[in-house]
Amino acid sequence: MNDLVRKHWTSLLGALFIISAFVYLFKFTFDQYWFTEELKIGLGLIVGAGLAALGMKLAIGRARLAGEIVCGLGSAIVYATFTFAGIYDALWDAMTVFLCMMAVTVLLAWAAYRFGLRTLINIVLLGSLVAPLVLRSESDQVFTLFLYLLVLNTAFFFLSIRQSWTELRLLAFAGTWLLYVVYYVHFEPDVSRIWSMPFRYATAAYVFYLLGFVLSSWRGGKKFDGLNLYLGFANAVIYGLWTVALLDGYLPFAYPLAVMGLSYVALAYVVYRVTRDAYSMPVLTKSFGGLFLLLLAGSQIGKGLEIKPLLSVYFWGLVAVLLIAAGQKKRIDALKLASVLVWFFVGCYWMVVTWDTPRGEWFGVYIPFLNWGAMAWAVLAGLGFYFATKVKMSGGGWNNPLLANLYAVLSHLIVGGLLTVQVSNVFEEYRVDRVFDLALTLSVTWGIYALLLFLWGAYSKQRVFRVFGSAVLILMAAKTLLFDLAGEDTIYKVIVLFALGVISLAITYINSRWMSKQPQAGYFVGGAAEAEAQEDMNAEPFKEQPELSKARRALIEEEEAARKADS
């Protein structure tokens, strides 16, 4: 390709100017009414075919370059005549243009393939694309143009693949999308419906090039990189932009983006099966590109609906689940870390928007803790606890017990948010505020939650949960004593204070009873194991010193019993 451009770019440029001059002559004579339409078509076919035949004879003879240029100019004149007859003036119907184009294109493609006439076919391609750009009709003949471009692209992609003439697919790709832009602006077609003609043509072009570039890579030694990779990326970007423009106001562009994303993920899998290289550039670009499009599409789910925040939480929660599942199975730390980050930001987002988001009722009936809003909280909390207990990174730094405790504490905050929101929704839905006070009920709820934190800390031997439970208990007490008791005295306040007192005493009992029986672990996950190891280490002297006297053993056991009794 580089040699062709370096050696013959001036020839191609000159041919382009001559072709443009001839096409403009066609248009000028039409505007001046010098000849009839039939005479112009006849002269174009005669002159074009004559030059093409003469050039072909020279090309397969001794004057190869000159013959290719002359034959290319003649063929371009023939294509310009087809454009004039079928697209500019609509003298021929679409099927007539299609059949004539098919016959001439197949003949030229065979000649170029048989005799290796590369310069010829490049001049023909330039001429065939320039003619519709210059001859823009006043009536809508876009379907005929579509058939015209379909024949051109099929033939030139075939030659590009079989002969490895990469410039053909590049010119065909750029020329086709340029023609699409020109005719869209020129005709201002109707796009007032979803499946409009411009959207159909854009989709057809996108699918054609998507498959064409894959087939080209397959036939080119199963190499899915290089020009095909870059043009495939450009094809996706161009089609994505046109989709946004054509569907604006009629259909969320999330749907075509989702289809594109799925297609690229599927192509990435196909390329992987062919190359058996999961980390090659084509596989990675198609995989991440497809996933990125799917994420963009998913982020638009429910756009314009009040329930959009809830749908977003479910979507991104699913993304976090898939990431952590893949990371755990393949042992890829990057996927695990990505899942944690997604979970963290989604949790922050849900904490902010949950108060104004619909509750997600079942058939119009609100059931506490069994509604879509509560399930969103549960999904986030479950993920956090899973991170804290099951996720291990290959790097030692990421396995710091402090991070595991951080996941657990954040998950408990999510549980606290779940309790708060659900209790508030019960008061709002069933008008419980006529009997009970919401602020005091929340205080009791948080007190029970603090008790559960102490129980979990005792069971898991993790002091951090007792600290966290203590913080909740202190905040609850301050809220109750400073704010909730203001106003009129009621029997409900007495009941609440009594309940909070019982909860506090229960926590005291847990601290004195359970903690004395359990080895004192550190603040971090893993502290319990360390404590048990230390206990085993302390027991080693007995194992290693069988000659230790029974009296000494009895004395140590009595001291241990006295220490437990004092505690």
Side-chain angles (χ1 to χ4, degrees), residues 274-293:
V274 172
T275 61
R276 293 295 180 178
D277 186 1
Y279 298 100
S280 65
M281 183 61 67
V283 173
L284 292 178
T285 53
K286 288 180 172 58
S287 299
F288 285 107
L291 293 174
F292 179 71
L293 290 176

Side-chain angles (χ1 to χ4, degrees), residues 168-433:
L168 293 181
R169 75 191 73 150
L170 174 60
L171 290 175
F173 173 79
T176 299
W177 280 115
L178 178 61
L179 277 171
Y180 182 86
V181 173
V182 169
Y183 271 81
Y184 181 84
V185 175
H186 181 67
F187 286 117
E188 297 182 356
D190 179 25
V191 290
S192 59
R193 58 187 186 279
I194 296 175
W195 194 238
S196 62
M197 293 303 294
F199 182 68
R200 297 183 195 180
Y201 292 139
T203 302
Y206 166 74
V207 173
F208 178 89
Y209 290 123
L210 179 68
L211 299 178
F213 293 135
V214 172
L215 181 60
S216 176
S217 299
W218 175 281
R219 295 292 298 179
K222 300 180 181 179
K223 296 179 180 178
F224 293 87
D225 52 2
L227 183 63
N228 291 323
L229 179 63
Y230 302 135
L231 292 181
F233 176 75
N235 185 45
V237 172
I238 293 172
Y239 178 68
L241 294 175
W242 275 109
T243 297
V244 173
L246 295 174
L247 298 180
D248 184 30
Y250 302 103
L251 181 72
F253 66 91
Y255 295 101
L257 287 182
V259 174
M260 291 172 62
L262 290 174
S263 65
Y264 280 112
V265 171
L267 283 176
Y269 179 75
V270 171
V271 173
Y272 163 71
R273 296 289 295 180
V274 172
T275 61
R276 293 295 180 178
D277 186 1
Y279 298 100
S280 65
M281 183 61 67
V283 173
L284 292 178
T285 53
K286 288 180 172 58
S287 299
F288 285 107
L291 293 174
F292 179 71
L293 290 176
L294 289 174
L295 290 179
L296 284 180
S299 65
Q300 300 298 314
I301 294 176
K303 185 178 181 180
L305 302 177
E306 292 184 1
I307 206 171
K308 171 69 169 62
L310 182 59
L311 296 177
S312 296
V313 170
Y314 276 110
F315 172 77
W316 290 105
L318 176 62
V319 170
V321 170
L322 294 177
L323 286 173
I324 195 60
Q328 292 284 78
K329 183 176 181 180
K330 299 296 183 179
R331 298 181 180 179
I332 301 176
D333 287 350
L335 296 179
K336 299 176 185 178
L337 180 60
S339 179
V340 170
L341 291 176
V342 171
W343 167 78
F344 176 76
F345 287 112
V346 173
C348 294
Y349 170 78
W350 184 235
M351 283 282 191
V352 173
V353 303
T354 186
W355 317 104
D356 300 322
T357 302
R359 298 186 291 260
E361 301 172 351
W362 292 82
F363 305 105
V365 178
Y366 177 74
I367 304 176
F369 300 97
L370 291 177
N371 52 80
W372 292 108
M375 291 179 184
W377 288 101
V379 168
L380 294 174
L383 271 173
F385 287 125
Y386 182 82
F387 293 147
T389 57
K390 299 296 184 181
V391 177
K392 300 294 183 183
M393 302 287 188
S394 59
W398 291 103
N399 293 323
N400 190 320
L402 179 61
L403 289 177
N405 281 317
L406 180 61
Y407 301 149
V409 169
L410 291 177
S411 301
H412 278 291
L413 282 176
I414 293 173
V415 173
L418 166 65
L419 295 174
T420 302
V421 172
Q422 294 301 304
V423 170
S424 300
N425 288 341
V426 169
F427 271 75
E428 180 181 349
E429 180 69 20
Y430 298 107
R431 302 304 305 273
V432 183
D433 54 343

Side-chain angles (χ1 to χ4, degrees), residues 86-161:
I87 299 174
Y88 182 73
D89 201 29
L91 298 174
W92 293 357
D93 59 25
M95 188 53 63
T96 302
V97 175
F98 177 76
L99 293 176
C100 292
M101 280 282 301
M102 181 70 72
V104 174
T105 305
V106 169
L107 180 62
L108 289 171
W110 174 83
Y113 177 74
R114 173 66 177 79
F115 300 106
L117 304 176
R118 190 172 186 176
T119 304
L120 162 66
I121 209 65
N122 276 276
I123 295 175
V124 171
L125 177 56
L126 287 174
S128 60
L129 292 174
V130 166
L133 285 173
V134 177
L135 294 173
R136 282 173 278 172
S137 66
E138 298 300 327
S139 59
D140 188 351
Q141 301 297 328
V142 180
F143 180 68
T144 307
L145 176 64
F146 173 78
L147 293 178
Y148 177 93
L149 292 174
L150 177 62
V151 173
L152 287 178
N153 278 277
T154 304
F156 292 122
F157 257 78
F158 169 79
L159 284 175
S160 176
I161 295 172

Side-chain angles (χ1 to χ4, degrees), residues 435 440 488-497:
V435 180
L440 289 174
E488 183 180 356
D489 295 331
T490 62
I491 189 62
Y492 186 58
K493 291 183 179 181
V494 176
I495 296 174
V496 168
L497 290 174

